[in-house]
Amino acid sequence: MLSINPLKGASFGAEATGVDIAQGLGDEVLKSLAEAVHEHRLLVIRGQRMSEDRYLGFGRWWGEPIPHVLDHLRMPGYPEMMAIGNHGGEWKENDAVRNGAAFWHTDQSYEAVPSSVTMLFSIKSPETGGETQLADLKSAYDELPGEMKQRLEGRRAWHLYGASSGEGDEAVANPLITNDQIARVPAVPHLIVRPHDITGRRTLYGVAGTPYAIEGMDEEEGTEILKELKRHVLQERFIYRHRYRVGDIAIYDTTQTLHSGTPIGPATDERNTRLLWRISVRGKPRAWH
């Protein structure tokens, strides 16, 4: 039987037990999972085992899976999925590929219709390291001073893939490697404060990783606000670091969170090997169609 409880030792997030996705889930259970993601920003479903096809089918219930712009990193036979790991091939030899998500960002914030949910399925988990860090933008917005909320109202930030704005980011090389990839992701604007597509609750959105300017502000003023917002949301009280167990599916609401991968070295044996299957979707779960 489905049970959803707050994550222990965390200021946000929940975990779900008592479900077996491989055996199929009814509409009411699926809707309960989606409601938990919208409410808690992060839901960890424990103890899952399934094939790529079943996992992709589960992802499609949440929305339209998005093939990543880095098409050379898509999973063979599953263009809507990406494998994230540290063993073999480019993962082992190239730090930039292995740790390409090791900076604070929001998935697909560089696209006109960004993602609504991202999920990571843990196939292999190292004994140490490999955590996903998440920052709670809903609570961070709630705690902003009223003056800042007014200042941000109706403002849009410009986003670009490969931009790494805000204080404290290490230089992140633009990973786009072909002209076709570059052409697919021109700069786009998004509201800095946006209502949630399902609940209507207001939250900060995408304030690190891809924003580089604020519409209608001069460069210095806009950059300073982006830095201030990033400093605010990355306070420890808004951050949770998920330590994976094999079989975990971590589902996070990308419209209400930032996330960052924890840097990890190349695997030397099974004890320090990480493998996650990633699906990111746009749109609403089927229950809201």
Side-chain angles (χ1 to χ4, degrees):
M1 180 179 295
L2 173 64
S3 177
I4 296 174
N5 297 290
L7 281 169
K8 294 180 180 178
S11 60
F12 69 104
E15 69 172 9
T17 56
V19 295
D20 185 348
I21 296 170
Q23 297 302 312
L25 303 177
D27 288 343
E28 287 305 311
V29 170
L30 287 164
K31 186 173 183 181
S32 293
L33 296 178
E35 289 173 341
V37 171
H38 301 150
E39 176 64 29
H40 298 282
R41 276 79 81 195
L42 164 69
L43 181 68
V44 180
I45 305 176
R46 304 287 192 184
Q48 301 303 300
R49 293 172 60 90
M50 73 189 90
S51 67
E52 293 93 334
D53 288 319
R54 176 64 78 176
Y55 181 50
L56 182 56
F58 178 65
R60 284 174 173 155
W61 183 88
W62 292 82
E64 176 192 354
I66 306 169
H68 199 280
V69 64
L70 298 181
D71 40 18
H72 57 289
L73 298 181
R74 299 172 187 172
M75 287 175 61
Y78 298 90
E80 298 132 310
M81 295 168 57
M82 180 187 292
I84 300 170
N86 69 335
H87 60 288
E90 284 191 277
W91 288 334
K92 188 171 184 178
E93 299 168 5
N94 191 323
D95 284 344
V97 172
R98 186 174 60 254
N99 293 310
F103 67 103
W104 289 100
H105 64 286
T106 293
D107 291 334
Q108 274 74 43
S109 57
Y110 51 85
E111 296 191 15
V113 183
S115 71
S116 51
V117 161
T118 290
M119 58 187 69
L120 297 170
F121 181 20
S122 177
I123 307 301
K124 297 183 179 183
S125 181
E127 292 179 357
T128 60
E131 298 88 354
T132 296
Q133 306 179 95
L134 294 111
D136 179 2
L137 297 186
K138 171 64 173 65
S139 296
Y141 172 74
D142 290 344
E143 294 192 25
L144 278 176
E147 181 181 352
M148 178 59 84
K149 289 180 179 179
Q150 292 178 3
R151 195 176 183 188
L152 297 175
E153 190 63 31
R155 291 285 188 180
R156 300 194 299 176
W158 282 95
H159 294 255
L160 183 66
Y161 193 84
S164 186
S165 63
E167 189 171 89
D169 269 339
E170 297 178 1
V172 178
N174 192 322
L176 301 175
I177 62 174
T178 69
N179 289 333
D180 179 62
Q181 289 174 348
I182 293 169
R184 276 184 271 155
V185 285
V188 296
H190 292 297
L191 285 170
I192 300 171
V193 177
R194 69 188 300 276
H196 191 269
D197 293 334
I198 302 295
T199 69
R201 290 192 294 261
R202 301 174 76 71
T203 179
L204 289 171
Y205 176 74
V207 295
T210 57
Y212 65 91
I214 295 179
E215 199 172 53
M217 288 187 179
D218 64 43
E219 181 178 356
E220 183 177 355
E221 181 183 13
T223 298
E224 186 53 43
I225 288 178
L226 289 172
K227 288 181 177 181
E228 184 175 347
L229 291 174
K230 184 177 179 181
R231 287 194 297 268
H232 174 67
V233 303
L234 295 186
Q235 296 178 80
E236 278 297 313
R237 68 179 185 274
F238 300 131
I239 293 175
Y240 167 71
R241 296 173 179 87
H242 184 63
R243 177 83 180 85
Y244 289 95
R245 306 173 193 168
V246 171
D248 280 359
I249 299 179
I251 307 173
Y252 47 93
D253 187 326
T254 53
T255 68
Q256 300 187 84
T257 58
L258 291 175
H259 67 279
S260 172
T262 301
I264 191 170
T268 57
D269 56 41
E270 284 297 311
R271 293 175 299 175
N272 59 12
T273 297
R274 175 179 66 172
L275 178 61
L276 301 165
W277 291 349
R278 174 192 181 275
I279 299 174
S280 191
V281 306
R282 59 169 58 96
K284 298 178 181 180
R286 291 180 192 170
W288 282 271
H289 285 183

